Amino acid sequence: MTQIRTNAILLNCSPLGESDQLLVFFTEKIGKIRAIAKGSLNSRKRFGGILLNLNLLELELIANRSSEIGFLLNLAEPIKNRSSLGQEPERLGAAYALAELIEKASADLEPEPILFELLEQGLDGIQGERNYREQMFFYLLRLLEQLGYLPSLEFCAVCGKKMAPRSNQYFFSVSKGGYVCEDCRKKSVKGLREISAGFAQNLRAIRRLSPDRPGRARLSREDWIFGINLLNDFIGWQLGKPLHSLNFLKRLDLDL
């Protein structure tokens, strides 16, 4: 019987039958996995209510060779509780956006220590920092870069020419994958989104910040919502479907 012990972030969970749960973890040692938690819906003694999305846990997993679901969860011990995120729906949605991107875009059973560290840092920043909106954009861009989906913000996505450092007008192509220069725009690239100079420069500035200084960026409420829509359309194009978490944040703003 093969056993694995590893730290992991719980990305998602759902009922499986009457008493079990299907859990999706992003683990430090073996990447994204699915596991069954036997009896976890009916017994508080088994896991003590710690199987909450986004929590950081230490797991003991047993290889489950009799099922397409690769592992059984034998033990789970809490390392970091993130239940306080539930007190602020927008902050919670921002944290879920990072976790959902990892769940949808990362490969199964491929160790990704850099992705794991980025996700953990991003969830900490969104949970603990006042400027959680800027934290979300910073870490979304870092995760997209590590996954190979970073939009082109410094060079034209069509011709590769370096974008002008200062411009009064920017254009973004979801299908081409980033900013489009003035010359290429004139060649009738379809589906361009016009972007304010302020937002375009802020997004590029956020991208350039170091991991210990994402809080130096500041986004207006208008830029926050515009960025959610733009990045979700881009992610939806790249992955085949947008992130539910970003759709939730957009609806939340409309309800305010």
Side-chain angles (χ1 to χ4, degrees):
M1 183 181 295
T2 303
Q3 291 186 344
I4 299 170
R5 200 164 184 98
T6 180
N7 291 350
I9 298 166
L10 180 55
L11 302 178
N12 206 345
C13 62
S14 57
L16 187 65
E18 295 183 358
S19 62
D20 303 339
Q21 283 182 287
L22 174 61
L23 308 169
V24 181
F25 290 106
F26 194 59
T27 73
E28 188 172 24
K29 288 185 178 179
I30 55 175
K32 186 179 67 181
I33 61 120
R34 294 190 301 160
I36 298 173
K38 292 283 189 181
S40 58
L41 291 177
N42 293 340
S43 173
R44 287 189 172 274
K45 293 181 180 180
R46 181 116 171 85
F47 295 109
I50 65 172
L51 296 179
L52 300 175
N53 289 358
L54 308 181
N55 278 359
L56 177 64
L57 308 168
E58 184 179 7
L59 309 181
E60 185 178 273
L61 300 162
I62 300 174
N64 185 17
R65 304 187 189 282
S66 63
S67 169
E68 62 179 17
I69 300 171
F71 296 91
L72 296 173
L73 181 61
N74 190 41
L75 294 172
E77 299 175 354
I79 298 176
K80 194 175 296 180
N81 187 309
R82 295 194 167 103
S83 60
S84 66
L85 285 165
Q87 299 172 12
E88 298 179 60
E90 190 175 82
R91 192 183 290 263
L92 179 64
Y96 265 118
L98 304 187
E100 188 182 355
L101 178 61
I102 291 294
E103 183 180 2
K104 289 184 174 177
S106 65
D108 293 345
L109 295 173
E110 287 193 12
E112 294 279 4
I114 295 176
L115 274 180
F116 184 87
E117 183 178 1
L118 285 173
L119 178 59
E120 179 63 15
Q121 290 173 348
L123 293 175
D124 280 348
I126 290 172
Q127 182 181 26
E129 299 294 335
R130 183 176 181 181
N131 61 319
Y132 61 88
R133 297 171 185 163
E134 291 81 5
Q135 296 274 339
M136 186 196 80
F137 277 114
F138 175 79
Y139 282 102
L140 269 181
L141 291 172
R142 293 293 303 278
L143 291 173
L144 285 168
E145 179 180 22
Q146 191 64 29
L147 289 162
Y149 295 112
L150 181 70
S152 181
L153 304 178
E154 303 293 340
F155 299 89
C156 174
V158 178
C159 71
K161 182 174 68 176
K162 187 173 178 61
M163 297 294 296
R166 293 286 175 182
S167 175
N168 294 325
Q169 201 173 35
Y170 286 80
F171 294 89
F172 189 99
S173 170
V174 169
S175 61
K176 298 297 183 182
Y179 290 161
V180 174
C181 70
E182 184 66 18
D183 290 340
C184 291
R185 183 186 74 83
K186 292 176 180 178
K187 295 176 183 176
S188 301
V189 176
K190 296 181 179 179
L192 292 178
R193 312 281 182 88
E194 186 172 355
I195 300 176
S196 71
F199 175 81
Q201 291 162 9
N202 276 337
L203 195 61
R204 292 166 76 180
I206 288 172
R207 167 68 188 87
R208 296 187 190 114
L209 291 171
S210 61
D212 59 336
R213 303 173 77 182
R216 296 191 66 185
R218 287 293 183 269
L219 292 172
S220 67
R221 186 77 187 181
E222 182 180 14
D223 281 349
W224 159 248
I225 298 304
F226 184 86
I228 287 172
N229 286 315
L230 184 69
L231 281 185
N232 207 22
D233 288 346
F234 172 79
I235 291 169
W237 178 271
Q238 297 293 327
L239 303 184
K241 58 177 63 176
L243 300 184
H244 297 302
S245 306
L246 294 182
N247 283 334
F248 166 77
L249 289 173
K250 181 170 63 174
R251 291 195 302 270
L252 188 65
D253 183 74
L254 292 174
D255 292 340
L256 293 178

